[in-house]
Amino acid sequence: MKVVFHQEFRKSYGCEPAAEERRMDCVLEVIRDKVEFVEAKSAEYDDIAACHTTEHIQNVTRMGRYYIAALAAGATIQAANIGLKEPCFALVRPPGHHASSDFSWGYCFFNNIAIAISKLKQQGKIRRAFVLDFDHHDGDGTINILGTKGYTTICNPNELNPDSYLGVVEKSLSCDFDIMGISAGFDSHKNDWGGVLSTENYREIGRIVRKASKKNNSGCFAVMEGGYNQEVLGHNVMEFIHGMTEF
């Protein structure tokens, strides 16, 4: 599988958990010999402005986070375009799913997945999109930006039992879509904040989304969101990637 990445994502840009030292390295150490890396490029200003207000963009700029946030958004656009033909993963930070059009929190600045899907739609490459957000926290920013557009279905599973969780994921994917974007947060792991899923469960989620994508003859891509236990994070990402590529 192709993984869109940039060495800038390895650098710590703040004191929040998403920016922790070595958080990207713990993933790279597991996946580096098993994937094909594509170098990320920054999103254009207009791509970001399609989802965020001028005032919000200016606030992110004043915080000194514009460059790294635009790079994460650009990587996700690349992953979405690759995903139209083959599964792809954007290994990025900062995350994005808590970034609304005019406000952000939860270590997010620009909404990576919303920017990518909006660009595909604007370019006429898709009619309908599906967003599966399996981060421990609901993607309220994604709902804010894409939830009222009329062309995107969004699922944020929050079950506390692994079997029920996987069942909700599978059932939610019975709708029609041209692209599936996955906000891949790994903090629902049993040894992370959420305490629900096993590492093997992430492989099963990968299988479920890939199966649904093939059934729909649609594209599929994922972008990194949360996940903070560095002992398990890389293995969780690897198992998810394995699941997406098994079919």
Side-chain angles (χ1 to χ4, degrees):
M1 178 190 283
K2 291 184 174 69
V3 172
V4 185
F5 179 71
H6 198 286
Q7 291 297 323
E8 288 293 321
F9 297 138
R10 297 180 61 201
K11 299 178 181 179
S12 180
Y13 50 84
C15 60
E16 61 263 36
E20 258 189 43
E21 194 75 24
R22 283 191 49 77
R23 182 167 173 261
M24 291 289 100
D25 288 348
C26 75
V27 178
L28 293 171
E29 287 166 4
V30 178
I31 74 170
R32 63 162 44 101
D33 297 326
K34 303 177 179 69
V35 300
E36 176 185 348
F37 288 102
V38 176
E39 187 171 29
K41 299 178 182 178
S42 291
E44 298 290 338
Y45 181 91
D46 288 348
D47 298 331
I48 297 168
C51 291
H52 295 289
T53 63
T54 301
E55 182 179 5
H56 178 68
I57 296 171
Q58 290 173 344
N59 286 338
V60 173
T61 302
R62 282 192 289 268
M63 294 170 65
R65 304 293 173 82
Y66 181 90
Y67 170 69
I68 192 67
L71 188 60
T76 312
I77 292 172
Q78 289 170 261
N81 276 286
I82 294 170
L84 291 170
K85 297 181 179 179
E86 60 184 282
C88 187
F89 189 90
L91 178 60
V92 308
R93 64 177 181 179
H97 72 151
H98 293 311
S100 296
S101 61
D102 59 355
F103 174 77
S104 64
W105 68 285
Y107 326 132
C108 300
F109 303 100
F110 298 146
N111 196 305
N112 303 319
I113 200 163
I115 290 169
I117 288 175
S118 296
K119 187 170 180 68
L120 291 184
K121 177 65 173 176
Q122 183 270 327
Q123 292 177 324
K125 294 180 178 180
I126 61 168
R127 294 175 301 105
R128 292 199 55 81
F130 183 93
V131 173
L132 172 64
D133 188 331
F134 62 72
D135 189 274
H136 177 53
H137 306 93
D138 285 356
D140 54 327
T142 308
I143 294 170
N144 171 266
I145 296 172
L146 293 179
T148 59
K149 298 293 186 182
Y151 65 85
T152 304
T153 301
I154 303 171
C155 175
N156 288 270
N158 54 22
E159 279 61 35
L160 301 179
N161 173 277
D163 290 338
S164 299
Y165 194 104
L166 295 173
V168 166
V169 170
E170 190 162 18
K171 184 177 180 180
S172 71
L173 290 166
S174 59
C175 59
D176 176 52
F177 53 87
D178 304 305
I179 190 73
M180 184 195 316
I182 302 152
S183 278
F186 297 91
D187 47 351
S188 284
H189 189 268
K190 61 184 180 181
N191 294 328
D192 210 312
W193 294 354
V196 177
L197 300 175
S198 69
T199 299
E200 293 74 20
N201 290 150
Y202 289 111
R203 190 174 192 133
E204 183 59 27
I205 292 173
R207 291 191 190 107
I208 291 170
V209 299
R210 181 61 173 150
K211 180 180 178 181
S213 178
K214 288 182 72 68
K215 181 180 179 181
N216 254 10
N217 194 28
S218 66
C220 185
F221 74 98
V223 56
M224 184 83 160
E225 299 283 0
Y228 306 102
N229 184 338
Q230 294 184 15
E231 292 184 6
V232 297
L233 179 57
H235 299 288
N236 293 339
V237 172
M238 189 71 258
E239 287 303 297
F240 176 65
I241 287 174
H242 275 316
M244 288 184 73
T245 55
E246 283 185 352
F247 288 87

